[in-house]
Amino acid sequence: MDQVIQITKDIKAGTIAPVYFLMGEEPYYIDKLSEFIEKNILTEEEKSFNQMVLYGRDVSMQEIISNAKRFPLMAERQVIIVKEAQELIRTIDQLDDYLEHLQPTTVLVFCYKYKTLDKRKKVYKNIQKKGVLYESKKLREYQIEAWLKRVISGKGYTIEPKASAMLVEFLGTDLSKIANELDKLTIILPKGSAITAEVVEHNIGISKDFNNFEMIKAIVDRDQLKAYKIAHYFAQNSKNNPLVLTLGLVYSYFSKLLLYHGLKDKSPANVVKNLKISQYGLKDYEIGFKNYPMRKVSQIISILKDIDLKNKGVGASALPQGDLLKEMLAKIFN
């Protein structure tokens, strides 16, 4: 994120590199940076003759280099953006020749999604030396809350921790999907509003009471009535609440709770660091520590593995997901 901010600041200040190589598993910031370059380096009048967008599946490296070597028309620079540049993986090394003899009036941008260049290669080192190389890494689930807060704050809104958790559970860690949903909410809500669990429920269609976030909370609190109500809801809506997702999240919680038991230093900062959780999730581990001794946690992890095998039909005919979910709860609360 810091590098993204620095790249945009440099461009605004007129410090523009001849090559931008945007690569990595997370496409969100690759798209954002390429859009920023597309909109901000040339004026609208200059774009007609001096800005082009190419696609890696449709062009060769030689064609890209040929275009990059030409001079701008009635402008200081030309901008060439190569989207889906990962399609050029077999010939990307040909960029070396161009890097050795750069056209200083060309801004060449590669959007190399879902992959990264081999850091040992000459082309990687040359891009670092002559231009800007940015790697967009996937955020972990525990990092999403801070990212959400930062994005929402930049738009002039706030978001409740539960609303954040609901969005991550429903949308995963795909930043583009989350950003699209946030854009919808900010259109509806007045500036300065708080995005609450109720707002998410009414506008995105995620139940604030019947979701995996609430299921785990009910298990942590040993609230059997609430847990079985959610299990019943999941059984009636299995398409939107697959057992495999619930098992994965419950397993993740108890695996981290086992680590929590083993920590000598249970200070908040150390727990957050070692368990890789958000500050907001800390309370669930403090409560779980009291409600589930280490031996019981180990048993639960074995139970979850067994339920997962049954769900896959291993050793027996596949049982209805609702029945397996209830069996899971019965054994956890036993």
Side-chain angles (χ1 to χ4, degrees):
M1 182 64 182
D2 290 343
Q3 191 181 358
V4 172
I5 293 169
Q6 189 59 54
I7 291 170
T8 56
K9 278 184 177 179
D10 287 344
I11 291 172
K12 285 179 181 177
T15 305
I16 300 170
V19 176
Y20 291 89
F21 202 96
L22 316 174
M23 65 180 190
E25 294 180 5
E26 177 50 67
Y28 178 78
Y29 282 117
I30 294 174
D31 288 338
K32 286 296 179 186
L33 281 170
S34 65
E35 285 170 15
F36 182 84
I37 290 169
E38 192 172 346
K39 290 177 181 177
N40 290 279
I41 290 183
L42 299 181
T43 66
E44 289 304 316
E45 293 76 18
E46 292 171 335
K47 287 177 185 177
S48 299
F49 296 104
N50 298 289
Q51 184 159 286
M52 66 173 67
V53 177
L54 306 173
Y55 290 84
R57 66 176 182 270
D58 299 326
V59 295
S60 67
M61 276 302 301
Q62 287 306 312
E63 287 173 302
I64 294 167
I65 291 168
S66 177
N67 279 299
K69 285 181 176 179
R70 69 183 181 85
F71 290 94
L73 183 63
M74 294 182 292
E76 186 181 345
R77 295 183 178 89
Q78 69 160 338
V79 175
I80 300 173
I81 298 172
V82 185
K83 296 188 176 182
E84 299 177 7
Q86 67 275 10
E87 299 290 337
L88 298 161
I89 187 169
R90 293 180 181 176
T91 56
I92 200 69
D93 287 348
Q94 292 176 17
L95 183 59
D96 264 328
D97 291 336
Y98 176 73
L99 292 169
E100 293 294 340
H101 306 93
L102 282 169
Q103 171 56 272
T105 56
T106 294
V107 179
L108 183 55
V109 183
F110 288 89
C111 302
Y112 197 82
K113 293 181 180 178
Y114 315 112
K115 298 179 184 294
T116 58
L117 290 178
D118 187 336
K119 295 180 181 179
R120 297 167 298 179
K121 286 195 170 186
K122 182 182 175 184
V123 67
Y124 179 94
K125 294 171 183 175
N126 266 342
I127 294 169
Q128 275 192 319
K129 183 179 177 182
K130 302 288 182 70
V132 171
L133 195 151
Y134 168 70
E135 182 177 352
S136 184
K137 296 180 180 179
K138 276 278 187 189
L139 293 186
R140 301 291 181 88
E141 192 173 315
Y142 71 94
Q143 297 173 311
I144 298 293
E145 184 185 350
W147 178 83
L148 271 169
K149 282 183 179 178
R150 188 163 54 241
V151 171
I152 285 296
S153 176
K155 295 175 181 287
Y157 297 81
T158 59
I159 187 166
E160 291 182 350
K162 183 175 178 179
S164 295
M166 288 168 66
L167 285 170
V168 174
E169 180 200 323
F170 188 69
L171 301 170
T173 57
D174 187 320
L175 300 188
S176 296
K177 284 184 180 179
I178 297 173
N180 286 338
E181 295 300 334
L182 291 178
D183 286 342
K184 293 176 189 176
L185 295 178
T186 56
I187 290 170
I188 297 165
L189 299 173
K191 207 86 165 177
S193 300
I195 297 174
T196 64
E198 286 75 17
V199 168
V200 171
E201 179 179 38
H202 293 151
N203 294 287
I204 299 180
I206 310 169
S207 171
K208 70 179 177 65
D209 296 316
F210 299 100
N211 55 65
N212 282 306
F213 174 80
E214 290 297 328
M215 169 64 88
I216 292 172
K217 190 173 186 305
I219 292 171
V220 171
D221 295 338
R222 297 192 67 85
D223 186 339
Q224 296 188 42
L225 178 60
K226 182 179 177 181
Y228 279 107
K229 279 184 178 178
I230 296 172
H232 179 73
Y233 177 86
F234 281 6
Q236 300 300 312
N237 300 273
S238 58
K239 186 177 179 181
N240 294 324
N241 302 279
L243 178 61
V244 64
L245 177 60
T246 302
L247 283 173
L249 293 170
V250 175
Y251 181 84
S252 176
Y253 170 78
F254 280 105
S255 296
K256 289 178 180 178
L257 184 58
L258 193 63
L259 290 174
Y260 184 91
H261 271 283
L263 289 177
K264 291 181 179 179
D265 177 7
K266 290 184 172 60
S267 64
N270 194 55
V271 172
V272 167
K273 177 184 175 183
N274 282 279
L275 269 60
K276 292 183 168 47
I277 59 173
S278 68
Q279 194 73 30
Y280 176 71
L282 184 61
K283 188 177 179 182
D284 286 340
Y285 291 90
E286 293 171 345
I287 295 171
F289 177 72
K290 295 174 183 176
N291 286 340
Y292 295 95
M294 183 179 277
R295 185 176 179 183
K296 179 63 178 176
V297 174
S298 297
Q299 289 174 352
I300 290 171
I301 289 173
S302 295
I303 289 165
L304 294 171
K305 289 178 179 177
D306 181 57
I307 297 291
D308 182 51
L309 289 174
K310 288 182 179 180
N311 186 44
K312 293 170 181 171
V314 177
S317 299
L319 295 170
Q321 291 193 9
D323 291 349
L324 288 173
L325 191 53
K326 289 171 186 175
E327 180 183 341
M328 177 194 82
L329 292 174
K331 290 180 176 179
I332 286 175
F333 289 132
N334 184 22

